[in-house]
Amino acid sequence: FQYLKRFDQRCDLDVFWYEAHSVEGSPAECLQLLLLHCGIADPSWAELRNFTWFLNIQLRDCEASVFCNPDFVQDTLKGF
């Protein structure tokens, strides 16, 4: 949710890092963003769960990768 929210606000995601157990927004706002970005017109709860699970895994791996660390790559992969 935090990444999607910042993406919609056109924030620089290269410098954002998720903080565990931090809470932002309301459950309604979260659901609205998930529905907007999941890519399915009328998703089931299982499809939303799969979307959030996959997105979470990808973002966690991205944060852990040295190649996605702006301090390491500097401006060579800006916006990648």
Side-chain angles (χ1 to χ4, degrees):
F1 169 75
Q2 293 176 12
Y3 272 97
L4 291 176
K5 181 178 177 181
R6 283 164 179 76
F7 176 78
D8 278 356
Q9 295 171 345
R10 303 197 185 284
C11 294
D12 183 6
L13 297 177
D14 291 339
V15 296
F16 174 71
W17 295 95
Y18 169 73
E19 292 182 34
H21 308 294
S22 62
V23 177
E24 292 182 14
S26 68
E29 185 182 11
C30 179
L31 182 57
Q32 183 179 20
L33 275 178
L34 293 176
L35 290 170
L36 180 67
H37 290 281
C38 78
I40 300 172
D42 187 19
S44 67
W45 285 111
E47 290 167 328
L48 282 176
R49 185 233 175 253
N50 289 338
F51 170 69
T52 56
W53 175 79
F54 178 77
L55 185 61
N56 187 52
I57 295 292
Q58 295 300 308
L59 292 171
R60 186 183 65 206
D61 289 349
C62 180
E63 284 186 352
S65 172
V66 68
F67 298 106
C68 296
N69 184 332
D71 296 330
F72 177 74
V73 296
Q74 297 175 6
D75 66 351
T76 59
L77 298 173
K78 186 71 177 161
F80 179 70

